Amino acid sequence: MNHLLKLSDLTSEEILEILNSADQLKYEKKNGIEHYHLKGKTLGMIFEKSSTRTRVSFEVGMYELGGNALFLSSNDLQIGRGEPVEDTARVLSRYLDGIMIRTFAQKEVEDLAKYGSIPIINGLTDYCHPCQVLADLMTIREFKSSLQGLKLCYIGDGNNMANSLIVGCIKMGMKVAIGCPKGYEPDAEIMKWASENGEFLCTEDVLEAAKDADVVYTDVWASMGQEAEANERKKIFKNYQVNDALMAVTNKDSLVMHCLPAHREEEITAKVFEQHANEIFEEAENRLHAQKAVLVKLLGDK
Ligand code: CP
Ligand code: NVA
């Protein structure tokens, strides 16, 4: 594993190794055990979209691993003025030990990896959000002890989160059901792969998707870059909400997860959100631990 571009590039064993390492790093942090595995290393963090969790957890993660992180807004980089990715990749490879990038097109992330010579980490594209799902799997395992055989339902837009959840959960032996409106399904190739490699369902019927779920997951109806569609999407997605009626058909003790930021009374009611704040904020915390595991694996001495 040389990069983290999308979860489909990783084997189940590699995902498991990251989750185990993340648990260990979390344990060490909680017990005041230092782990300066990346002393003297620098991560560049390119952001072409907003971020709270990704930015802060990567920056703090590098610090806690003994390294440095540089916040590089695309507004300030020459890339924002049209310098080609091929050149940016080759230049930054000479200064940095790794790059985390959050952007729109998956191709830009893949191109950075193609033209650069250092590890590239995808911090979210329109296509996927692998770092989030590693933290999600870590959290589910923490609450449920194991992943194999659990059912996760994802309610809402078939977006970057849905795409990465499908791949990550199926690779870890979980069942996945997506409840989304027609025309807003996850990536077709990912759904085909999931049907061939595990138990997968995509339906317009939210209650069918949620039935007997162990984990209920949702995300915003309008992602970053879709702000102009927000009002129209509110109408299209109004029945795709995590609420009491939906929770009633899930398994007893089912978890509710959200990558955040959350829009209360849109994709999730305030009531369900607060009832499950415990796991939702543990999930947010786990971004730090899971990403440190990724950083150690990719930037650490081999
Ligand atoms: N979940 C997530 O990636 O949050 P940010 O957009 O705040 O980084
Ligand atoms: N689907 C959301 C996820 C945010 C973490 C977005 O892309 O905006």
Side-chain angles (χ1 to χ4, degrees), residues 47 50-55 102 123-124 129 132 224 259-261 287:
F47 281 93
S50 305
S51 170
T52 296
R53 281 143 288 270
T54 306
R55 181 196 169 165
R102 167 169 286 198
L124 180 146
H129 196 0
Q132 178 68 52
M224 289 181 276
C259 55
L260 302 175
R287 291 292 304 277

Side-chain angles (χ1 to χ4, degrees), residues 93-302:
S93 292
R94 290 171 183 253
Y95 305 137
L96 301 168
D97 299 288
I99 296 174
M100 191 287 302
I101 176 164
R102 167 169 286 198
T103 188
F104 295 86
Q106 179 71 14
K107 184 172 183 303
E108 191 174 340
V109 179
E110 306 269 348
D111 280 351
L112 266 186
K114 185 168 158 196
Y115 295 105
S117 53
I118 53 175
I120 305 298
I121 300 171
N122 182 344
L124 180 146
T125 60
D126 293 345
Y127 176 68
C128 65
H129 196 0
C131 292
Q132 178 68 52
V133 170
L134 291 171
D136 297 338
L137 292 169
M138 176 186 178
T139 310
I140 298 167
R141 196 168 73 152
E142 203 171 314
F143 280 88
K144 295 283 184 192
S145 303
S146 72
L147 298 172
Q148 183 73 33
L150 293 179
K151 173 177 172 178
L152 176 138
C153 79
Y154 173 92
I155 305 298
D157 187 22
N159 59 15
N160 43 11
M161 277 314 313
N163 287 338
S164 284
L165 279 166
I166 294 170
V167 177
C169 291
I170 294 284
K171 280 192 185 254
M172 297 317 287
M174 294 171 66
K175 304 171 207 161
V176 178
I178 307 287
C180 69
K182 206 167 160 26
Y184 292 85
E185 293 87 1
D187 180 79
E189 271 182 37
I190 289 180
M191 291 202 289
K192 182 170 177 282
W193 173 86
S195 309
E196 291 166 359
N197 287 278
E199 246 181 86
F200 176 75
L201 169 77
C202 181
T203 169
E204 286 175 65
D205 182 344
V206 279
L207 295 183
E208 187 190 4
K211 192 172 179 313
D212 300 328
D214 302 292
V215 184
V216 177
Y217 204 110
T218 191
D219 183 19
V220 290
W221 291 339
S223 286
M224 289 181 276
Q226 298 173 331
E227 288 78 8
E229 297 171 33
N231 282 338
E232 187 196 348
R233 282 172 169 265
K234 273 185 197 162
K235 290 178 211 140
I236 295 166
F237 285 97
K238 71 177 189 322
N239 296 326
Y240 292 82
Q241 185 187 60
V242 175
N243 52 30
D244 284 342
L246 184 123
M247 292 307 296
V249 305
T250 67
N251 272 348
K252 188 174 163 287
D253 300 328
S254 53
L255 301 176
V256 174
M257 299 180 72
H258 195 308
C259 55
L260 302 175
H263 292 195
R264 288 165 176 77
E265 307 309 329
E266 290 186 21
E267 74 274 4
I268 189 165
T269 60
K271 183 175 168 213
V272 173
F273 184 92
E274 290 306 332
Q275 278 169 341
H276 293 271
N278 189 29
E279 56 257 29
I280 292 170
F281 290 103
E282 199 68 35
E283 175 188 8
E285 176 185 325
N286 285 342
R287 291 292 304 277
L288 173 67
H289 311 298
Q291 281 158 202
K292 281 165 79 178
V294 170
L295 289 166
V296 172
K297 187 162 172 61
L298 293 178
L299 275 59
D301 296 326
K302 302 279 183 306

Side-chain angles (χ1 to χ4, degrees), residues 3-129:
H3 305 282
L4 176 58
L5 308 179
K6 53 187 181 299
L7 287 181
S8 46
D9 296 337
L10 272 56
T11 63
S12 306
E13 291 70 31
E14 283 170 329
I15 295 176
L16 192 61
E17 192 193 319
I18 291 168
L19 301 185
N20 290 342
S21 165
D23 285 349
Q24 175 66 22
L25 290 162
K26 183 170 184 174
Y27 170 84
E28 289 174 3
K29 177 170 163 130
K30 302 277 172 195
N31 288 281
I33 303 167
E34 289 168 354
H35 39 227
Y36 298 141
H37 302 306
L38 300 182
K39 238 186 213 162
K41 305 261 166 128
T42 303
L43 177 78
M45 309 189 300
I46 303 176
F47 281 93
E48 301 194 27
K49 288 175 174 172
S50 305
S51 170
T52 296
R53 281 143 288 270
T54 306
R55 181 196 169 165
V56 177
S57 55
F58 266 106
E59 195 160 335
V60 171
M62 277 306 286
Y63 175 77
E64 291 180 353
L65 291 168
N68 298 301
L70 292 180
F71 174 71
L72 305 167
S73 160
S74 61
N75 294 333
D76 304 326
L77 292 174
Q78 295 287 10
I79 206 171
R81 295 179 57 247
E83 183 168 18
V85 176
E86 300 93 287
D87 296 356
T88 306
R90 285 179 288 182
V91 171
L92 292 181
S93 292
R94 290 171 183 253
Y95 305 137
L96 301 168
D97 299 288
I99 296 174
M100 191 287 302
I101 176 164
R102 167 169 286 198
T103 188
F104 295 86
Q106 179 71 14
K107 184 172 183 303
E108 191 174 340
V109 179
E110 306 269 348
D111 280 351
L112 266 186
K114 185 168 158 196
Y115 295 105
S117 53
I118 53 175
I120 305 298
I121 300 171
N122 182 344
L124 180 146
T125 60
D126 293 345
Y127 176 68
C128 65
H129 196 0

